[in-house]
Amino acid sequence: MPSTNKTSLGLNHWEPNDVPAFDDFNADNMLVDSELSKRAALSTPTATNWDSGNLRIEEGEWSPTMYGTSAAGNPTYTTRNGHYLRLGKWCLLRFSIQVAAGHGMAGSLRIGGLPFSTPGNEQHYTGSIAYGTGLSLPTGTIFNTFVAVMNAFWLVKHGNTGAADIQASDFPGVINVAHGSVVMKINA
């Protein structure tokens, strides 16, 4: 026989003179199970229109690398740090990197060591360099980045004649690329 006293959830609140039956315990268990299911549903991430699964949020550190496409070189890093914030299939990457002179790199410069790769060969994710020194570019040329080739940032210069890759020869001495950031879609 169920108790005449109930909790706020409707569970039996037994008194010493109550005579519980198995059906009473089963009914209480059903109420508890129902309430736990409701609360679990509230704490489970839900899919959004840009994420086909649960929304994964993650942050961490990464170590950027720099290399040339014709000769990777053997850079000595005086500054090398990165931080990422992942939101589902999108990631914000921030980085600072400084390479000492005599690095041996040649060709187009790339920043690698990314914590995630892009799906396919997508090249649609722009970034920016907030500060860079040691670069020898014509007046009116700006310097920025974009993600390409699945696992590296391409360093790009934009001027009156269009866009072109930054070459190792554009940095005659110390390479200082500080405070860069990129937003990119990633393989999830």
Side-chain angles (χ1 to χ4, degrees):
M1 164 179 217
S3 174
T4 55
N5 299 316
K6 302 287 183 185
T7 67
S8 62
L9 292 176
L11 300 173
N12 288 298
H13 184 97
W14 304 106
E15 297 292 331
N17 59 350
D18 287 335
V19 181
F22 280 109
D23 289 340
D24 302 328
F25 287 110
N26 288 337
D28 283 354
N29 287 338
M30 297 290 284
L31 287 171
V32 169
D33 187 53
S34 174
E35 187 64 26
L36 288 174
S37 295
K38 287 178 198 173
R39 291 180 187 209
L42 293 175
S43 64
T44 302
T46 58
T48 65
N49 61 357
W50 54 270
D51 185 358
S52 62
N54 287 337
L55 178 61
R56 180 174 174 184
I57 299 172
E58 174 185 340
E59 66 179 318
E61 306 296 321
W62 65 286
S63 295
T65 60
M66 186 175 278
Y67 62 93
T69 56
S70 298
N74 189 19
T76 300
Y77 301 100
T78 53
T79 301
R80 181 179 171 201
N81 58 63
H83 183 84
Y84 69 87
L85 175 63
R86 175 185 177 170
L87 298 169
K89 294 181 182 179
W90 290 92
C91 189
L92 168 64
L93 297 163
R94 293 184 304 127
F95 63 93
S96 295
I97 191 166
Q98 184 175 24
V99 176
H103 45 71
M105 292 183 280
S108 301
L109 287 180
R110 304 287 189 258
I111 295 179
L114 307 182
F116 304 101
S117 61
T118 61
N121 193 22
E122 298 188 27
Q123 301 178 14
H124 309 291
Y125 311 110
T126 61
S128 64
I129 303 294
Y131 175 76
T133 60
L135 186 59
S136 177
L137 293 176
T139 303
T141 302
I142 61 169
F143 170 34
N144 80 359
T145 67
F146 73 95
V147 176
V149 196
M150 294 178 61
N151 59 1
F153 296 151
W154 291 17
L155 300 177
V156 178
K157 54 189 171 187
H158 297 270
N160 296 334
T161 58
D165 288 356
I166 295 282
Q167 301 296 306
S169 59
D170 290 327
F171 285 97
V174 173
I175 300 173
N176 186 15
V177 178
H179 312 300
S181 62
V182 173
V183 174
M184 60 187 252
K185 187 175 181 181
I186 61 174
N187 284 325

